[in-house]
Amino acid sequence: MDRHNVIPQHIAIIMDGNGRWAKQRGKDRSEGHFAGMMALKQTVMAAAQKGVKWLTVYAFSTENWGRPQAEVDALMELVCKGVEMNTPDLAAQGVRVQVIGDRSRFSDIVNASLNRIESQTAMGEIMTLVLALNYSSRSELTMAVQQIARRVAAGELQADAISEQTISQSLYTAAMPDPDLIIRTSGEYRLSNFLMWQASYAEFYFTDTLWPDFGEEELGKAIEAYNTRDRRYGLVK
Ligand code: FPP
């Protein structure tokens, strides 16, 4: 097998298994999410240290609103707490935070937290941490289609001139490179409405490890596996 020693420029993670982690310990699901936030912190620091430039994490999907209200409330509170607890360290480490997703459904308090972490880390040049919050690929693509249709209707764009680039540039991720590696924890093998357009040429890594147990070592294993892959982009070597 072809082996290299490359650090993926952009890693995206579906952080799954917080609930099962909590259940195994007889704890409340919200404690699993708190442990998940600690794992995220460790993973962010490890990724930045390894030279990853972009790390995107699926923190709250549009489908997650359907969870029990108490769990949704706990997750929203965790976002605010996470911002408060981690902004100074992220800024000090040169990690810039950006949010993708539809923010219109978040409370003013949550939106204020998100604006704060984005503005207070905006100068970070070591790595960008992208938090996908109230995000789903289908809603992102729907929004992009609406935006493009409005431009066509206004006569700014010819329908035949719509290219892959037009679509990429209409997504939340317009200014970001596509992910090279997508990791999903907890033994699930689905994309769950995450970065469907952007994942076209991504490599996938699945692990049985539950998200709260993920960290530097697991990240290293995922990168090692990535280095055994032969990325051909549909071409012949
Ligand atoms: C999936 O586990 C995890 C989530 C829905 C939430 C992920 C959020 C965090 C890790 C915290 C991030 C915090 C900030 C501040 C961005 P699950 O609940 O689906 O687990 P289960 O499948 O075992 O029930």
Side-chain angles (χ1 to χ4, degrees):
M1 216 180 290
D2 208 6
R3 286 185 185 273
H4 328 268
N5 194 14
V6 178
I7 297 296
Q9 182 189 26
H10 184 175
I11 298 180
I13 308 181
I14 301 171
M15 307 181 289
D16 200 2
N18 295 348
R20 277 161 284 167
W21 182 94
K23 194 169 179 204
Q24 282 173 4
R25 288 161 180 76
K27 294 178 184 229
D28 191 74
R29 292 179 61 85
S30 62
E31 292 184 67
H33 295 313
F34 185 81
M37 186 181 73
M38 303 309 279
L40 175 58
K41 175 87 183 283
Q42 255 212 45
T43 306
V44 167
M45 294 309 175
Q49 200 245 331
K50 285 178 192 295
V52 174
K53 298 309 288 181
W54 296 82
L55 181 70
T56 300
V57 296
Y58 208 2
F60 193 89
S61 74
T62 54
E63 289 80 12
N64 287 154
W65 294 109
R67 293 192 174 200
Q69 192 58 43
E71 184 171 349
V72 171
D73 291 346
L75 280 164
M76 292 301 128
E77 210 173 294
L78 191 60
V79 169
C80 298
K81 199 185 265 183
V83 167
E84 198 183 309
M85 282 172 59
N86 298 305
T87 301
D89 274 0
L90 293 169
Q93 299 296 318
V95 177
R96 173 175 69 156
V97 178
Q98 293 185 342
V99 176
I100 59 170
D102 176 8
R103 296 198 207 183
S104 65
R105 207 169 156 181
F106 293 129
S107 69
D108 290 348
I109 294 173
V110 170
N111 273 317
S113 280
L114 299 178
N115 291 338
R116 190 158 63 246
I117 198 166
E118 282 187 325
S119 62
Q120 291 182 2
T121 62
M123 303 299 282
E125 288 183 346
I126 300 295
M127 186 180 83
T128 302
L129 169 64
V130 182
L131 300 176
L133 286 165
N134 195 21
Y135 173 88
S136 86
S137 267
R138 287 186 176 183
S139 57
E140 179 185 41
L141 284 161
T142 304
M143 183 195 71
V145 170
Q146 289 170 348
Q147 189 184 313
I148 293 166
R150 278 195 292 271
R151 289 173 59 199
V152 173
E156 292 165 21
L157 182 67
Q158 292 291 311
D160 290 342
I162 297 170
S163 63
E164 290 186 9
Q165 209 187 10
T166 316
I167 297 169
S168 290
Q169 285 174 351
S170 306
L171 303 175
Y172 293 121
T173 52
M176 304 171 189
D178 285 343
D180 302 295
L181 172 63
I182 296 182
I183 298 171
R184 184 166 189 153
T185 58
S186 86
E188 307 288 352
Y189 304 88
R190 292 184 293 279
L191 198 49
S192 298
N193 221 342
F194 185 50
L195 303 179
M196 285 176 341
W197 173 273
Q198 298 87 339
S200 295
Y201 289 101
E203 296 293 334
F204 285 81
Y205 178 82
F206 298 102
T207 171
D208 287 340
T209 300
L210 302 176
W211 175 252
D213 293 325
F214 197 90
E216 182 174 2
E217 194 183 328
E218 282 282 338
L219 182 69
K221 281 190 207 164
I223 294 174
E224 211 173 287
Y226 172 82
N227 274 295
T228 66
R229 311 283 175 85
D230 187 11
R231 301 184 83 193
R232 291 190 300 275
Y233 301 95
L235 306 173
V236 175
K237 244 203 154 167

